[in-house]
Amino acid sequence: MSIFKTEDCPICGNKTNAFQKTMARYNGKFICRSCYPKIIKAGVNVWEIKKKTLAELQQLIGDIQVSIDMQQNLTSENMEIIETKIAKKPADNSIAEQIKNGKSYHLEDTSTSIDFYEHYLEYTEKRYSNTKWKLDYDTEKLYAFQLKEVSYEITDYHNAVYIRYLPYSGALIPKTLIVYVDKRELKNIQKLISYLNEKIAVKYQYDKIEKTREELRELERVYGKYRYSINQFAFLDEDHYLKESAYDVELENVKACNFDISTVKIEEALYFEFEPNNLNDKHAIKVIYHNQCIGYIPQNNLQSMMKAYYEDPNGQVRGFIQRVNEHNKEIQIGLGFYKQLTKEELKKVPHMDVSLIKTSKKDFMGTSRQEHLDCVSEGDEVYLEYDYETETYLVTDDCANELGEISKSKSQKLQEYEDEGKTFYGVILETDYSDSGKNTCEIRIFIKEE
């Protein structure tokens, strides 16, 4: 790109000559003197510009204005209606008008073809029996909106359009779709990208509002008068494992205890005291929260269970506040029954020890699994996900980084367990180096009943 050539600003799309350009670039094109000061004034320096999406930059310079009149009045009782209004520029985008009028815009290279419609795009993978996929970007159904970013790149070797998207609702890691295009199409593509980024800007504001709603709901869940926990006991805790658990255990005689229920916080640890001299119940177990009694364990088999675990030198009982109802002065707790994982106890626990394979393979981001193995340690939890293409279980760490795979034969056995409704808990058993200096990893998979 020559600075002396008259061309469109990559941000606002206006024609700019050599005297109207700055030396700052975005997507290989020079930013005009009108846009650049606004971007800098918004707190984005020249090195951060390329990290921003087009929609974010357009929002900074005021091309896209979002009005959220009710956001300041959000409360946990009134969070139903929020208006998001997009102020659009006069329609001079023939591609956008073409799409809005029910037609499609088509892009194609040797491996991929994409048809853009008003509310979705449809792309075809030619390499896989012309398999078709659909990505939604309907601004009337923002909960199902999948586009994250659309951009293009011009190099000496190719002209490419990049489409980052969420593969399904609830996904956290976007994927990227690439289509290589003819240079003669770039003017139309720039208009197409501008049209799509307007939609992405609506989704961006929707997500901001939803985040505010979620934060308020979360505050209500944690601190409200009907607060509750969504946590459960960890399966492994140092050298103990969770053998049994009980949730939603409603305490007895809460109202008879002298304490301020408004001070009781969820997820706080509990202690227990046995009262063999209790006149009403010789098996009574007092529940202690911050050195004060807040109730009793109900008179059922939990009493005998807790006593057995307390008398077992390898047993532990743990409890936490699960639910608090201030209005009715009711408290529910969770109980976890742990056993020390001795060699004898391990024989009673269904498990499988496996060595990971394909630990040198690169993930979808091009990073070697060896690099991820450098960052894990013995005792770290790992996660398993079945890959139907390879017919193996993919093993990842708690940041979703790929570590390796489980062999087909053992994956088949694990899938049989999964078909029976069982779940898995994986932990790194040992990390080492092979003779060639590569990371190796052995994991232990506990097979649990749902």
Side-chain angles (χ1 to χ4, degrees), residues 108-113 124-127 130 179-180:
E108 185 171 357
D109 61 19
T110 55
S111 61
T112 306
S113 70
T124 304
E125 288 282 0
K126 298 179 182 180
R127 295 169 294 181
N130 286 331
V179 59
Y180 299 98

Side-chain angles (χ1 to χ4, degrees), residues 328-342:
N328 295 332
K329 202 173 183 180
E330 296 172 346
I331 296 176
Q332 293 179 343
I333 68 172
L335 292 171
F337 300 87
Y338 284 82
K339 283 275 191 175
Q340 189 173 7
L341 202 55
T342 61

Side-chain angles (χ1 to χ4, degrees), residues 406-420:
I406 298 172
S407 67
K408 279 191 177 183
S409 58
K410 292 192 175 180
S411 290
Q412 185 177 0
K413 183 63 179 174
L414 287 171
Q415 199 170 36
E416 290 175 5
Y417 285 128
E418 195 167 6
D419 291 341
E420 294 171 4

Side-chain angles (χ1 to χ4, degrees), residues 8-242:
D8 295 339
C9 170
I11 309 300
C12 65
N14 293 331
K15 294 285 185 184
T16 55
N17 58 34
F19 301 100
Q20 297 169 320
K21 295 179 181 179
T22 65
M23 295 304 295
R25 297 190 186 195
Y26 184 75
N27 280 343
K29 302 182 83 172
F30 296 97
I31 301 174
C32 73
R33 292 184 180 275
S34 174
C35 295
Y36 184 70
K38 295 177 183 177
I39 294 172
I40 298 301
K41 189 175 180 180
V44 179
N45 63 45
V46 67
W47 298 280
E48 294 174 330
I49 290 175
K50 64 181 180 180
K51 299 178 183 179
K52 298 288 185 181
T53 65
L54 180 58
E56 289 172 337
L57 293 174
Q58 287 178 333
Q59 188 178 348
L60 288 175
I61 67 170
D63 276 1
I64 299 176
Q65 299 175 344
V66 181
S67 172
I68 312 171
D69 301 326
M70 297 182 63
Q71 188 168 357
Q72 296 177 349
N73 300 320
L74 279 175
T75 64
S76 57
E77 292 79 23
N78 180 20
M79 298 189 300
E80 296 182 355
I81 304 174
I82 296 181
E83 294 182 346
T84 303
K85 300 177 182 178
I86 301 297
K88 298 182 179 178
K89 295 190 295 184
D92 61 352
N93 190 335
S94 59
I95 299 299
E97 291 304 313
Q98 175 182 321
I99 293 174
K100 290 175 183 177
N101 290 332
K103 298 180 181 179
S104 66
Y105 184 72
H106 184 78
L107 292 178
E108 185 171 357
D109 61 19
T110 55
S111 61
T112 306
S113 70
I114 309 178
D115 290 291
F116 296 88
Y117 298 90
E118 183 177 3
H119 299 309
Y120 65 93
L121 68 80
E122 193 173 70
Y123 71 92
T124 304
E125 288 282 0
K126 298 179 182 180
R127 295 169 294 181
Y128 302 110
S129 304
N130 286 331
T131 304
K132 289 190 176 183
W133 304 87
K134 179 182 174 183
L135 297 180
D136 288 309
Y137 45 74
D138 186 354
T139 52
E140 297 298 320
K141 299 176 182 178
L142 290 168
Y143 58 87
F145 198 98
Q146 292 177 276
L147 283 190
K148 290 290 289 182
E149 181 183 357
V150 184
S151 61
Y152 65 91
E153 179 182 72
I154 304 171
T155 71
D156 293 337
Y157 306 101
H158 65 250
N159 309 303
V161 175
Y162 294 87
I163 300 170
R164 295 180 73 236
Y165 67 96
L166 295 175
Y168 54 87
S169 178
L172 298 177
I173 302 176
K175 292 188 175 182
T176 302
L177 175 65
I178 304 174
V179 59
Y180 299 98
V181 297
D182 192 299
K183 193 172 183 178
R184 292 171 293 183
E185 288 286 321
L186 290 180
K187 190 170 184 179
N188 284 337
I189 287 170
Q190 189 174 10
K191 292 181 178 181
L192 173 69
I193 290 174
S194 178
Y195 167 70
L196 293 175
N197 277 328
E198 280 191 13
K199 289 177 172 286
I200 292 172
V202 179
K203 170 64 172 173
Y204 173 76
Q205 292 301 324
Y206 170 81
D207 287 343
K208 280 179 64 176
I209 297 168
E210 284 300 302
K211 184 178 179 181
T212 303
R213 289 178 173 177
E214 288 174 8
E215 288 171 350
L216 288 169
R217 285 194 290 264
E218 183 67 5
L219 287 172
E220 184 70 19
R221 180 188 73 78
V222 176
Y223 301 107
K225 294 184 181 297
Y226 302 93
R227 51 195 175 274
Y228 62 94
S229 169
I230 56 176
N231 287 342
Q232 294 188 336
F233 290 101
F235 180 72
L236 283 183
D237 191 348
E238 295 181 350
D239 59 345
H240 287 70
Y241 80 99
L242 182 67

Side-chain angles (χ1 to χ4, degrees), residues 228-373:
Y228 62 94
S229 169
I230 56 176
N231 287 342
Q232 294 188 336
F233 290 101
F235 180 72
L236 283 183
D237 191 348
E238 295 181 350
D239 59 345
H240 287 70
Y241 80 99
L242 182 67
K243 189 164 186 178
E244 299 172 278
S245 60
Y247 296 98
D248 301 318
V249 178
E250 188 161 344
L251 299 186
E252 295 181 349
N253 299 323
V254 175
K255 294 177 181 177
C257 298
N258 184 23
F259 69 98
D260 183 359
I261 195 169
S262 67
T263 64
V264 178
K265 298 179 181 179
I266 60 170
E267 298 177 4
E268 292 279 325
L270 299 170
Y271 300 92
F272 308 99
E273 288 183 9
F274 291 85
E275 288 189 340
N277 298 324
N278 189 300
L279 298 177
N280 298 317
D281 178 15
K282 64 180 181 179
H283 304 297
I285 303 175
K286 187 190 295 185
V287 181
I288 306 298
Y289 172 85
H290 288 195
N291 298 320
Q292 55 187 350
C293 177
I294 60 171
Y296 286 80
I297 296 296
Q299 298 181 43
N300 54 30
N301 64 322
L302 284 175
Q303 291 177 319
S304 57
M305 233 174 116
M306 291 178 69
K307 185 178 181 182
Y309 271 81
Y310 264 94
E311 292 175 348
D312 185 346
N314 295 324
Q316 288 184 2
V317 180
R318 301 175 190 178
F320 71 92
I321 300 289
Q322 191 178 359
R323 292 178 182 271
V324 176
N325 183 335
E326 284 190 23
H327 181 72
N328 295 332
K329 202 173 183 180
E330 296 172 346
I331 296 176
Q332 293 179 343
I333 68 172
L335 292 171
F337 300 87
Y338 284 82
K339 283 275 191 175
Q340 189 173 7
L341 202 55
T342 61
K343 289 184 178 179
E344 289 301 316
E345 191 66 30
L346 182 60
K347 294 177 182 177
K348 305 175 187 177
V349 184
H351 68 280
M352 180 188 297
D353 294 344
V354 299
S355 296
L356 298 187
I357 63 172
K358 299 182 181 179
T359 55
S360 296
K361 187 177 177 181
K362 293 184 178 180
D363 62 17
F364 69 96
M365 295 291 290
T367 306
S368 172
R369 293 170 177 175
Q370 287 287 308
E371 292 185 33
H372 298 152
L373 286 169

